[in-house]
Amino acid sequence: MIKLKEFEVWFVTGSQHLYGKETLKQVDEDSGKIAQYLNNSAKIPCEVVFKPVVTTPDKITNICVKANTSPKCVGLITWMHTFSPAKMWIEGLSILKKPFVHLHTQFNQDIPWESIDMDFMNLNQSAHGDREFGFICSRMRKNRKVIVGHWKDAEVVEKLDVWMRAACAWNDWQGMKVARFGDNMREVAVTEGDKVEAQKKFGYSVNGYGVGDLVACIEKATASQIDDMMAEYKQTYKMNFSKEQMDSIRESAKIEVGMRAFLDNGGFKAFTTTFEDLHGLVQLPGLPVQRLMADGYGFGAEGDWKTSALVRAMKVMAADLKGGTSFMEDYTYHLNPSGMKVLGAHMLEVCPSIASGKAALEVHPLGIGGKADPPRLVFNVPQGNGINVSVIDMGNRFRMLINPCKVVKPDADLPKLPVARVVWQPEPNLKTAAAAWILGGGAHHTGFSMALNAEHMIDFAEMADIEYLTIDENTTISDFKKDIRMNEIYYMLKNGLV
């Protein structure tokens, strides 16, 4: 289970010795109160740790070194209570590897019009102290989020929540292991990519494992473990089966026991499968994949390791939020002019965290892969706001596409479609969204979430220092093409064309 409260965000305030001990003492006290307020907020997902005010280059560098080496620290909140000469920050920011957010706030909400004097002015200089800090960050080309407003404002707290969730997901990627059972689906382009460059850029490693290795782990599953898994199925899902179908479900339980053991023993947080490499497996893992995703694992079908890692990151960001997150695929369209929609699904692997009510556990033929009929969870998805996200390898850079959508009710029941499914209307509309997605090179696989929004993904993309393109209510194809062309020039200059 993903627990974001296990992670820390350090609250770091800048000042200088020029103001004297009494003023610096007040700066320290005020900063501590802000950190405590944020830490006590039910809206803040991580522990906010107050750090004493920094006033010299050595203190700033020291705090950055400690942040880099702390396994719990996922990032910094920086704020200048007074003026803090920004040359002091150069060395620290140069070596800082953790993301940081610049909170442009001040301790007091209002100007005390009747009593304000120069002592008050000297103490409360965030208005220009943060501009000095902002300059050096921009001069050093440091990616960061800037949040403006009083620290008790609900909007400020909400934006900090979004940023912290992205920081936790970024931290989770560092050293993460992705297991590929089998290789990429043959002749497919978009699910391929440079795994070495991804490890350099993102911090996670992707390695392949023979399906035989997984089968060996599955064969170690005991009758008792399988019985326990079956009991959990019966308690969790709607079930009504023949003896033959129950045998199929029992085989699925055996596969799940083995897959969990393999992933747990190897310390993996994400994985892929492919229906073109099932040697030794009785059936394509469907139900086990759905349930592993529900427990927080990332997944990508047909060897799609980029989407697998992305789904894991989105799972971390969405921890404890209402909604759900899943691997997804744009499967087919409803092109009726009265209301164009996308039907999203996959052969088997859609996470029940997005289900509307209790999912039904069913067994049906698959028609692909040449194996026995696999069990799967069948369900619809509740109406609401959602988002589809794709990460692709453009050769000289990675690109993220972000498309908010509105999940809607199907126009009619789908009695002959025995898979988990979701219907949505993409922003700004299907024609524009699909054209922009195709022009941007977006994959047919996505990370889909009803717990996250575009801001989560933008914060995450900026931490990863990758390109992102948003397809939203303001998108036009003309402007989208211009963005692509301008980005191409920028990244050719920055990285070179491979």
Side-chain angles (χ1 to χ4, degrees), residues 199-230:
Q199 187 165 348
K200 287 169 54 184
K201 190 71 177 174
F202 299 135
Y204 63 76
S205 63
V206 183
N207 287 292
Y209 295 86
V211 177
D213 296 334
L214 175 59
V215 170
C217 212
I218 292 170
E219 291 303 319
K220 293 178 182 178
T222 66
S224 175
Q225 289 175 313
I226 297 171
D227 289 342
D228 289 344
M229 194 68 70
M230 290 293 290

Side-chain angles (χ1 to χ4, degrees), residues 278-401:
L278 299 173
H279 185 71
L281 290 173
V282 175
Q283 57 188 231
L284 175 66
L287 176 62
V289 171
Q290 290 178 294
R291 286 172 47 80
L292 284 161
M293 264 196 287
D295 285 346
Y297 283 92
F299 173 75
E302 292 108 45
D304 190 351
W305 52 270
K306 295 188 296 298
T307 302
S308 176
L310 174 64
V311 170
R312 168 63 187 188
M314 294 173 73
K315 288 280 187 183
V316 173
M317 281 184 257
D320 301 321
L321 293 179
K322 292 181 179 179
T325 300
S326 178
F327 168 79
M328 188 56 67
E329 180 172 273
D330 299 62
Y331 228 101
T332 193
Y333 292 142
H334 183 67
L335 293 177
N336 191 306
S338 65
M340 296 187 179
K341 308 175 183 71
V342 180
L343 173 60
H346 204 256
M347 295 182 297
L348 302 173
E349 309 97 342
V350 175
C351 179
S353 67
I354 62 173
S356 175
K358 196 172 187 178
L361 178 51
E362 301 179 8
V363 178
H364 298 279
L366 184 59
I368 196 167
K371 293 290 182 176
D373 299 347
R376 81 291 303 272
L377 297 174
V378 178
F379 54 84
N380 290 316
V381 176
Q383 300 178 66
N385 294 322
I387 190 167
N388 275 295
V389 186
S390 175
V391 172
I392 55 176
D393 186 343
M394 293 298 294
N396 67 332
R397 65 192 185 277
F398 290 96
R399 170 184 286 170
M400 177 183 288
L401 279 89

Side-chain angles (χ1 to χ4, degrees), residues 139-157:
R139 175 68 175 80
M140 296 175 68
R141 312 299 195 265
K142 301 296 290 187
N143 285 352
R144 78 281 191 195
K145 184 174 188 173
V146 178
I147 300 175
V148 181
H150 191 254
W151 46 278
K152 286 187 177 180
D153 287 353
E155 183 182 7
V156 168
V157 175

